[in-house]
């Protein structure tokens, strides 16, 4: 990788300028622990969705210590924006609102008691005309005369036995349907799962067998009668035949309970075997397991390379970052056929260590969040089981990825709400992993001590104001164009001053930066720029003499114009000088230097290399200077990424605290980021940290927004307006007093009012469709629990998800 001004370290002398240094590639690739050396970096904790009735909990994370090939074969079906796709299983269809458990139990009990009463009346002969249907279809000589006459012959007795068994079966079936016993069984038995289901079915089967052989349930005698009528009574002279018939009865009674209790599946699970799949479904898993075989390489004819990588994966010498990096390298190489052969040779020679990141690292020192490097997703939480969330999203994992961050993200919440620990750091970690895979570049900016990640997780760490910092920041963004440098620097210096036109400020800076660069070959340092803005005669005289000696007459005219305008009404130079003075402090001595020997880190390198950069700002002792630098870095990032021609890398800027960093120009720049494969993540304590005129433009410029618990109703109102409204169905119930006309009815109503203390009323229900806010300001301020946030997501392709209440566990 060409360094492009990204290498260099602070020298031993105090005059040397700090410059960022990337660690050179190691001579030998780092070793990845094998199966016997410990857990692999690719393995992350397992996460499961809470079980719903009738649904299994899907696996959302690879099991700790699981091999990479299993992780690679896990399905990742395309889903709506923000759905954690790793091992996603859709929820069962939403069930309509059913009756309560109390009503269900009471209905079942009443149905059962009614059936028992009816059967008792039948058996004791209290129901008239009970034998009439049977006598219509049987010979009359079998029965005694009269409608209630009983059987006269043995054939009549046998027919009555079968008749009663049929009626008992119909009565049991009707009782089960009316009492809704199937729903009762599903709720209170089947939903508990195994082994409770099997034990309950076994207990019910034992009780049923007892009642059958006690002849309380008419099963045995009707079966014997039917067998005798078909095969003849002589069949019972053989004890073997009788035993076989009894065994068939026992099996027939046990079979439905075995099906309901899942005895076969339970036994197979305890023995470690699975039930065979139906025909036609066995080929689907086989096709899904081919991902670890590197089919894209085999299709292209690189079978030896695919075999090498397959062996690396299966033996545990590759982690998930290696897989993502080599897949990306192969995709890039296919666009440049001349790179295919070198890449294949590197893979055959070094295996999973081919195409390494310039730092030589193959993974982060440690991970605090759950990642799927193959899709670039980082899981930050779980959608709550809340009526505001759609049914299909309740309980699913919520994840962020470059397709979402490309629209930029704004997170608002008070201190302590968890913005840094539960959102900012997981995002930075995911982007750092993606940078190691050669697919992204990340710039994380926060206060000194902010938990954005350890130093060894970054290629460049800039500690502004810290004497031990080995790196520095280029105030001019690495450009050589004075006008471009002046525009960005003016935005960073006075972009938050509403009464000052940043274009006039840029003109003033250009009138000084152009002549100075023409005279000295570089831009001025902070002390020199301050003297020029203050209009120091000695500084102007020295610059004019250098220009005259070099013959830069055009630049002399620029300098003369600045001299004439200095001190005039509305001159922005004094304001610029005051802001530059914030950086001209003893704590920043040696920083922001220019000159021929200075090689500070330039943000322009982010658009060319997969760098991981962290900037620590001295917020405690130099709060205003930190805000100025944050504003400058945001302005530089939007300007540099918008101007780059190669948008292969996803570039992302993460501001842990964007207070007073957003200006009108940077809002326009944020809006342009999605078209150049870049994004910004901004965290604010309140929307009021942004000028009021920019509230609506900022919320409209970002595609993803997050409102954390504890925001004010004023902030909630802005989010509610930005998220819009939706049509909902409302039910209005009006109670009207009932006035009786009849004396007896009035007496009953008076008695009821005397007993209950309430008048007799009737309910009038009105159902209608109304348009309401998805989340109201009061709900956002008071209904969001601690540790939660309401997050709205959108992709660069235009897809979007509604605002979701998310429990953050990043």
């Amino acid at each position: 990788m060409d360094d492009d001004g990204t290498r260099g370290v602070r020298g031993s002398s105090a005059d040397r300028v700090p410059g960022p240094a990337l660690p050179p590639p190691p001579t030998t690739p780092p070793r990845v622990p094998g199966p016997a050396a410990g857990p692999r970096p690719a393995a992350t904790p397992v996460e499961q969705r809470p079980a719903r009735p009738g649904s299994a909990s899907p696996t959302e994370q690879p099991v700790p210590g699981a091999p990479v090939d299993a992780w690679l074969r896990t399905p990742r079906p395309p889903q709506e924006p923000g759905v954690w796709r790793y091992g996603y299983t859709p929820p069962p269809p939403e069930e309509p609102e059913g009756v309560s458990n109390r009503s269900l139990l009471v209905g079942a009990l009443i149905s059962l008691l009614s059936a028992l009463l009816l059967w008792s009346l039948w058996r004791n002969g209290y129901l008239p005309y009970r034998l009439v249907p049977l006598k219509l279809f049987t010979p009359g000589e079998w029965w005694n005369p009269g409608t209630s006459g009983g059987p006269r012959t043995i054939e009549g007795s046998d027919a009555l036995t079968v008749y009663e068994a049929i009626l008992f079966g119909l009565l049991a079936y009707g009782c089960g349907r009316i009492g809704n016993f199937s729903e009762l069984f599903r709720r209170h038995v089947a939903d508990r799962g195994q082994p409770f289901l099997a034990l309950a079915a076994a207990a019910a089967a034992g009780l049923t067998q007892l009642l059958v052989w006690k002849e309380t349930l008419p099963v045995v005698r009707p079966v014997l009668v039917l067998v005798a009528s078909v095969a003849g009574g002589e069949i019972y002279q053989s004890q073997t035949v009788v035993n076989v018939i009894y065994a068939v009865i026992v099996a027939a009674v046990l079979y439905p309970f075995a099906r309901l209790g899942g005895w076969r599946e339970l036994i197979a699970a305890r023995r470690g075997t699975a039930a065979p799949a139906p025909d036609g479904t066995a080929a689907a898993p086989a096709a899904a397991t081919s991902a670890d075989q590197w089919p894209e390489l085999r299709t292209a004819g690189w079978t030896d390379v695919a075999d090498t990588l397959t062996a690396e994966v299966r033996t545990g010498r590759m982690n998930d970052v290696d897989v993502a990096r080599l897949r990306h390298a192969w995709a890039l190489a296919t666009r440049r056929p001349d790179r295919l052969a070198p890449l294949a040779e590197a893979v055959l020679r070094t295996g999973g260590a081919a195409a390494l990141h310039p730092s030589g690292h193959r993974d982060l020192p440690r991970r605090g969040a759950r990642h799927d490097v193959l899709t670039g997703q980082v899981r930050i939480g779980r959608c709550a089981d809340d009526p505001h969330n759609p049914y299909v999203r309740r309980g699913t994992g919520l994840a962020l990825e470059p397709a979402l961050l490309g629209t930029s993200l704004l997170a608002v919440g008070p201190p302590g709400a968890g913005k840094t620990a539960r959102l900012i750091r997981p995002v930075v970690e995911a982007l750092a992993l993606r940078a190691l895979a050669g697919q992204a570049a990340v710039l994380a900016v926060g206060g000194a001590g902010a938990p954005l990640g350890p130093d060894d997780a970054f290629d460049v760490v800039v500690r502004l104001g810290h004497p031990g910092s080995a790196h520095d920041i280029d105030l001019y963004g690495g450009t050589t164009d004075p006008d471009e440098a002046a525009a960005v620097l003016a935005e960073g210096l006075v972009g938050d001053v509403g009464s000052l036109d940043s274009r006039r400020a840029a003109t003033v800076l250009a009138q000084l930066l152009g002549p100075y660069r023409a005279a000295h070959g570089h831009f001025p340092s902070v002390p020199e720029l301050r003297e020029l803005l203050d209009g120091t005669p000695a500084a102007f005289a020295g610059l004019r003499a250098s220009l005259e000696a070099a013959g830069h007459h055009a630049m002399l005219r620029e300098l003369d114009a600045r001299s004439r305008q200095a001190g005039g009404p509305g001159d922005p130079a004094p304001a610029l000088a005051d802001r530059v003075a914030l950086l001209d402090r003893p704590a920043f001595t040696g920083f922001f230097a220019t000159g021929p020997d200075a090689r500070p880190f330039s943000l322009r390198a982010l658009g060319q290399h997969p760098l991981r950069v962290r900037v620590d700002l001295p917020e405690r002792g130099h709060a205003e200077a930190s805000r100025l630098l944050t504003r400058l870095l945001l302005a530089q990032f939007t300007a540099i990424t918008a101007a780059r021609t190669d948008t292969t890398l996803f570039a992302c800027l993460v501001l842990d605290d964007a207070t007073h960093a957003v200006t009108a120009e940077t809002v326009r720049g944020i809006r342009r980021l999605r078209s150049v494969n870049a994004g910004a993540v901004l965290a604010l304590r309140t929307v009021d940290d942004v000028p009021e005129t920019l509230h609506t433009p900022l919320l409209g410029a970002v595609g993803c927004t997050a409102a954390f618990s504890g925001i004010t109703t004023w902030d909630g109102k802005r989010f509610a307006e930005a998220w819009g409204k939706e049509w909902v169905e409302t039910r209005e119930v009006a109670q009207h007093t009932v006035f009786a006309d009849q004396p007896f009815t009035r007496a009953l109503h008076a008695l009821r009012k005397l007993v209950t203390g309430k008048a007799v009323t009737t309910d009038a229900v009105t159902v209608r469709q109304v348009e309401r806010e998805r989340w109201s300001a009061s709900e956002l301020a008071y209904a969001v629990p601690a540790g939660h946030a309401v997050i709205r997501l959108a992709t660069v392709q235009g897809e979007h998800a509604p605002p979701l209440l998310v429990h953050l566990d990043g």
Side-chain angles (χ1 to χ4, degrees):
M1 175 190 296
D2 186 13
D3 57 285
D4 284 343
T6 61
R7 294 181 182 241
V9 296
R10 185 189 294 272
S12 57
S13 64
D15 297 334
R16 296 293 301 274
V17 181
L22 290 178
T27 55
T28 59
R31 296 183 59 84
V32 180
R40 301 182 182 90
T44 46
V46 69
E47 185 64 31
Q48 294 184 343
R49 182 190 307 161
R52 287 197 185 95
S55 65
S57 299
T59 301
E60 292 187 351
Q61 277 294 119
V63 179
V68 180
D69 55 350
W71 166 83
L72 192 57
R73 292 194 304 267
T74 303
R76 297 165 174 84
Q79 292 298 324
E80 297 179 0
V83 175
W84 175 250
R85 294 166 50 193
Y86 180 86
Y88 174 79
T89 301
E94 185 176 8
E95 299 178 357
E97 184 178 356
V99 296
S100 62
N101 289 332
R102 179 179 178 180
S103 300
L104 192 64
L105 290 173
V106 171
L109 181 60
I110 292 175
S111 175
L112 179 61
L113 294 177
S114 301
L116 291 176
L117 176 61
L118 186 61
W119 182 246
S120 177
L121 294 175
W122 170 273
R123 293 295 300 268
N124 291 284
Y126 290 107
L127 296 180
Y129 310 107
R130 64 189 186 96
L131 299 180
V132 171
L134 179 60
K135 292 182 178 181
L136 292 176
F137 296 96
T138 54
E141 59 270 13
W142 290 4
W143 309 98
N144 291 320
T147 57
S148 59
R152 178 188 300 175
T153 62
I154 296 177
E155 289 82 1
S157 298
D158 293 343
L160 180 60
T161 300
V162 176
Y163 178 59
E164 288 183 344
I166 294 174
L167 290 180
F168 179 82
L170 294 176
L171 181 63
Y173 176 78
C175 174
R177 291 296 302 270
I178 296 175
N180 205 359
F181 277 85
S182 60
E183 178 67 15
L184 186 67
F185 174 80
R186 186 188 66 82
R187 288 192 189 182
H188 300 282
V189 180
D191 286 352
R192 293 195 176 188
Q194 299 288 8
F196 180 83
L197 176 60
L199 293 176
L207 178 61
T208 304
Q209 289 283 1
L210 178 63
L211 296 178
V212 166
W213 296 108
K214 289 280 186 180
E215 295 192 2
T216 304
L217 300 180
V219 175
V220 177
R221 188 176 296 275
V223 171
L224 297 177
V225 169
L226 289 175
V227 172
S229 64
V230 173
E234 297 81 4
I235 193 175
Y236 295 118
Q237 296 178 1
S238 172
Q239 185 64 35
T240 303
V241 174
V242 174
N243 293 337
V244 170
I245 294 175
Y246 286 166
V248 171
I249 294 174
V250 172
V253 173
L254 288 179
Y255 178 74
F257 294 98
R259 289 290 303 272
L260 291 175
W263 294 354
R264 180 181 178 185
E265 293 79 4
L266 180 62
I267 295 174
R270 292 303 176 96
R271 291 181 177 178
T273 60
D279 294 339
T281 61
T289 59
S290 62
D292 63 330
Q293 301 285 338
W294 300 84
E296 61 274 16
L297 274 69
R298 299 183 186 276
T299 304
W302 299 89
T303 307
D304 51 348
V305 177
D307 292 339
T308 301
L309 293 179
T310 301
E312 292 276 304
V313 168
R314 293 185 174 179
T315 56
R317 292 193 295 268
M318 287 179 64
N319 59 18
D320 53 351
V321 179
D322 295 331
V323 173
R325 186 186 69 251
L326 289 174
R327 281 195 165 192
H328 179 68
W330 174 261
L332 293 180
T334 53
R335 304 175 190 173
R336 299 278 300 274
D338 58 314
R339 296 183 179 181
L340 287 175
L343 177 61
E345 182 183 354
V347 170
L348 294 175
R349 185 178 66 257
T350 61
L356 273 180
H357 185 265
S359 65
H361 298 162
R362 298 172 65 177
D363 201 353
L364 297 179
R366 57 182 177 272
R367 303 186 189 183
R370 285 161 282 190
H371 303 270
D372 184 19
V373 187
L374 203 61
T375 59
Q377 287 189 317
V378 54
R379 190 180 183 281
I380 63 171
R382 184 195 308 278
C383 296
D385 189 2
D386 187 87
H388 286 92
N389 293 342
Y391 171 78
V392 294
R393 298 301 298 268
R394 298 175 191 173
T396 61
L398 188 82
L400 296 176
E401 56 183 310
L404 299 172
L405 298 178
T407 64
S408 299
L409 186 149
L410 176 66
V412 179
K419 299 188 301 297
T420 300
R422 300 184 179 186
L423 179 64
I424 299 299
R425 176 161 181 172
V427 169
V428 173
E429 197 172 87
L431 293 171
L433 286 172
R434 204 158 181 82
L436 290 178
Q439 304 175 40
V442 56
L443 171 62
V445 181
L452 300 180
D455 293 352
D456 47 0
F458 296 91
D459 303 312
V460 175
V461 178
V462 181
R463 296 185 177 89
L464 292 174
H466 193 282
S469 176
H471 308 286
D472 194 3
I473 287 292
D474 187 354
L475 289 180
Y476 304 101
T479 183
T480 58
D481 184 359
D483 293 328
E484 181 182 349
V488 175
L489 186 58
E491 195 66 32
L493 292 176
V494 295
D496 61 328
V497 181
S499 59
L500 189 61
D501 188 359
S502 60
R503 290 174 296 182
R504 292 192 60 189
T507 301
V508 171
L509 288 172
Q511 290 173 342
L512 297 175
L513 297 181
Y516 191 95
R517 179 171 179 80
H520 300 283
H522 57 83
F523 291 121
S525 61
V526 169
E528 294 169 334
L529 180 59
R530 180 183 180 184
E531 291 181 353
L532 291 174
L533 289 171
D534 283 333
T536 305
F540 268 80
L543 181 56
R544 180 176 285 105
S546 299
L547 292 174
E548 291 176 350
H552 295 291
H553 301 289
M555 292 302 171
L556 280 172
R557 288 195 298 271
E558 287 284 299
L559 190 61
D560 292 339
R562 172 85 288 270
S563 300
R564 291 192 303 269
Q565 297 170 4
D571 183 17
L576 291 170
D578 292 340
R579 290 300 178 89
V580 173
L582 296 174
L583 303 179
D584 190 18
R585 305 297 300 164
F588 300 116
T589 301
F591 287 85
F592 315 122
T594 53
D597 296 331
R599 303 187 66 188
F601 172 74
S602 170
L603 265 64
R604 199 169 298 273
L606 288 174
Q608 305 169 1
H609 309 295
L611 293 175
R612 302 166 295 165
V613 184
R614 193 188 78 205
V615 178
D616 295 343
L617 301 175
E619 290 185 345
R620 293 185 178 180
H622 304 274
E624 287 298 326
S626 297
R627 293 174 181 175
L628 186 154
L629 292 170
T630 302
R631 192 164 51 249
L632 178 62
L633 290 174
L634 177 58
Q636 286 186 0
F637 180 82
T638 56
I640 291 172
T641 52
R644 62 177 182 164
T645 57
D646 184 6
T647 59
T648 304
L649 283 176
F650 175 73
C652 188
L653 169 66
V654 181
L655 297 182
D656 185 47
D657 184 5
T659 302
H660 301 296
V662 178
T663 64
E665 184 60 33
T666 53
V667 168
R668 287 189 287 269
I670 290 173
R671 190 178 289 113
R672 293 191 297 264
L673 290 179
R674 66 178 66 191
S675 62
V676 292
N677 196 24
V681 179
L682 311 178
L684 295 172
R685 296 181 178 89
T686 174
V687 181
D688 289 330
D689 288 340
V690 176
E692 185 175 359
T693 56
L694 298 179
H695 289 174
T696 301
L698 177 61
L699 289 172
V702 297
C704 303
T705 49
F708 283 71
S709 60
I711 65 172
T712 64
T713 52
W714 292 274
D715 287 343
K717 180 181 179 181
R718 298 182 182 97
F719 280 108
E721 293 175 351
W723 292 339
K725 300 179 179 181
E726 62 179 347
W727 288 97
V728 296
E729 183 180 278
T730 61
R731 296 170 57 91
E732 296 180 358
V733 181
Q735 292 184 341
H736 302 285
T737 304
V738 178
F739 298 96
D741 296 331
Q742 302 299 324
F744 181 72
T745 308
R746 286 200 299 269
L748 290 179
H749 287 186
L751 179 62
R752 179 176 175 180
K753 184 176 181 180
L754 181 63
V755 174
T756 62
K758 297 180 181 180
V760 179
T761 60
T762 182
D763 294 340
V765 181
T766 303
V767 180
R768 60 180 180 175
Q769 296 282 338
V770 298
E771 192 176 20
R772 288 185 177 176
E773 294 175 332
R774 301 177 185 272
W775 281 83
S776 67
S778 298
E779 288 175 329
L780 288 173
Y782 302 111
V784 179
H788 290 67
V790 181
I791 302 178
R792 187 255 186 188
L793 301 175
T795 67
V796 292
Q797 291 81 16
E799 299 179 78
H800 61 86
L804 302 171
L805 178 63
V806 181
H807 176 251
L808 301 170
D809 55 8

